[in-house]
Short mmCIF file of all heavy atoms in Angstrom, two decimals:
data_model
loop_
_atom_site.label_atom_id
_atom_site.label_comp_id
_atom_site.label_asym_id
_atom_site.label_seq_id
_atom_site.Cartn_x
_atom_site.Cartn_y
_atom_site.Cartn_z
N ALA A 259 48.67 106.90 162.19
CA ALA A 259 50.09 107.20 162.13
C ALA A 259 50.75 106.49 160.96
O ALA A 259 51.98 106.47 160.84
CB ALA A 259 50.75 106.80 163.44
N GLY A 260 49.96 105.88 160.10
CA GLY A 260 50.48 105.21 158.92
C GLY A 260 51.10 103.85 159.22
O GLY A 260 51.79 103.28 158.38
N VAL A 261 50.87 103.33 160.41
CA VAL A 261 51.45 102.05 160.79
C VAL A 261 50.74 100.91 160.06
O VAL A 261 49.51 100.84 160.05
CB VAL A 261 51.32 101.86 162.32
CG1 VAL A 261 51.61 100.44 162.74
CG2 VAL A 261 52.21 102.86 163.04
N ILE A 262 51.52 100.04 159.44
CA ILE A 262 50.92 98.91 158.73
C ILE A 262 50.67 97.77 159.72
O ILE A 262 51.52 97.47 160.56
CB ILE A 262 51.84 98.47 157.57
CG1 ILE A 262 51.95 99.61 156.56
CG2 ILE A 262 51.32 97.19 156.91
CD1 ILE A 262 52.95 99.36 155.46
N LEU A 263 49.50 97.17 159.60
CA LEU A 263 49.12 96.11 160.55
C LEU A 263 49.29 94.74 159.93
O LEU A 263 49.17 94.56 158.72
CB LEU A 263 47.67 96.30 160.99
CG LEU A 263 47.31 97.64 161.64
CD1 LEU A 263 45.86 97.62 162.10
CD2 LEU A 263 48.23 97.96 162.82
N ASP A 264 49.56 93.78 160.78
CA ASP A 264 49.65 92.38 160.38
C ASP A 264 48.25 91.78 160.52
O ASP A 264 47.66 91.82 161.60
CB ASP A 264 50.64 91.68 161.33
CG ASP A 264 50.78 90.19 161.03
OD1 ASP A 264 49.87 89.60 160.41
OD2 ASP A 264 51.80 89.61 161.43
N LYS A 265 47.71 91.25 159.42
CA LYS A 265 46.35 90.69 159.46
C LYS A 265 46.21 89.59 160.50
O LYS A 265 45.16 89.39 161.08
CB LYS A 265 46.00 90.09 158.09
CG LYS A 265 45.48 91.10 157.10
CD LYS A 265 44.47 90.42 156.14
CE LYS A 265 43.74 91.45 155.31
NZ LYS A 265 44.53 91.99 154.20
N ASN A 266 47.29 88.86 160.73
CA ASN A 266 47.20 87.71 161.64
C ASN A 266 47.17 88.08 163.11
O ASN A 266 46.58 87.39 163.92
CB ASN A 266 48.36 86.75 161.39
CG ASN A 266 48.31 86.18 159.99
OD1 ASN A 266 47.24 85.82 159.50
ND2 ASN A 266 49.46 86.13 159.33
N THR A 267 47.82 89.17 163.47
CA THR A 267 47.81 89.57 164.88
C THR A 267 46.82 90.68 165.14
O THR A 267 46.36 90.87 166.27
CB THR A 267 49.19 90.13 165.32
OG1 THR A 267 49.52 91.22 164.45
CG2 THR A 267 50.28 89.08 165.23
N GLY A 268 46.48 91.45 164.11
CA GLY A 268 45.67 92.65 164.32
C GLY A 268 46.50 93.78 164.88
O GLY A 268 46.01 94.88 165.10
N GLY A 269 47.77 93.51 165.13
CA GLY A 269 48.67 94.53 165.66
C GLY A 269 49.64 95.00 164.59
O GLY A 269 49.58 94.55 163.44
N ALA A 270 50.53 95.89 164.99
CA ALA A 270 51.47 96.45 164.02
C ALA A 270 52.43 95.37 163.53
O ALA A 270 52.67 94.35 164.18
CB ALA A 270 52.26 97.59 164.66
N TYR A 271 52.97 95.63 162.36
CA TYR A 271 53.99 94.82 161.75
C TYR A 271 55.30 95.41 162.28
O TYR A 271 55.60 96.58 162.02
CB TYR A 271 53.82 95.01 160.25
CG TYR A 271 54.65 94.16 159.36
CD1 TYR A 271 54.23 92.89 158.99
CD2 TYR A 271 55.85 94.65 158.84
CE1 TYR A 271 55.00 92.12 158.14
CE2 TYR A 271 56.61 93.89 157.99
CZ TYR A 271 56.19 92.62 157.64
OH TYR A 271 56.94 91.87 156.80
N VAL A 272 56.07 94.66 163.08
CA VAL A 272 57.20 95.28 163.79
C VAL A 272 58.54 94.58 163.56
O VAL A 272 58.61 93.40 163.20
CB VAL A 272 56.97 95.33 165.33
CG1 VAL A 272 55.89 96.32 165.69
CG2 VAL A 272 56.67 93.93 165.88
N TRP A 273 59.58 95.36 163.80
CA TRP A 273 60.93 94.83 163.88
C TRP A 273 61.11 94.21 165.27
O TRP A 273 60.30 94.43 166.17
CB TRP A 273 61.95 95.96 163.72
CG TRP A 273 61.97 96.62 162.38
CD1 TRP A 273 61.33 97.77 162.03
CD2 TRP A 273 62.69 96.18 161.22
NE1 TRP A 273 61.60 98.08 160.72
CE2 TRP A 273 62.44 97.13 160.19
CE3 TRP A 273 63.53 95.10 160.95
CZ2 TRP A 273 62.99 97.02 158.91
CZ3 TRP A 273 64.08 94.99 159.68
CH2 TRP A 273 63.81 95.93 158.68
N ASP A 274 62.25 93.51 165.45
CA ASP A 274 62.49 92.89 166.76
C ASP A 274 62.60 93.92 167.88
O ASP A 274 62.33 93.61 169.02
CB ASP A 274 63.74 92.01 166.71
CG ASP A 274 64.96 92.77 166.20
OD1 ASP A 274 64.79 93.55 165.24
OD2 ASP A 274 66.06 92.59 166.74
#
Side-chain angles (χ1 to χ4, degrees):
Chain A
V261 167
I262 296 173
L263 303 184
D264 178 338
K265 276 212 169 77
N266 297 318
T267 57
Y271 187 87
V272 290
W273 295 96
D274 53 319

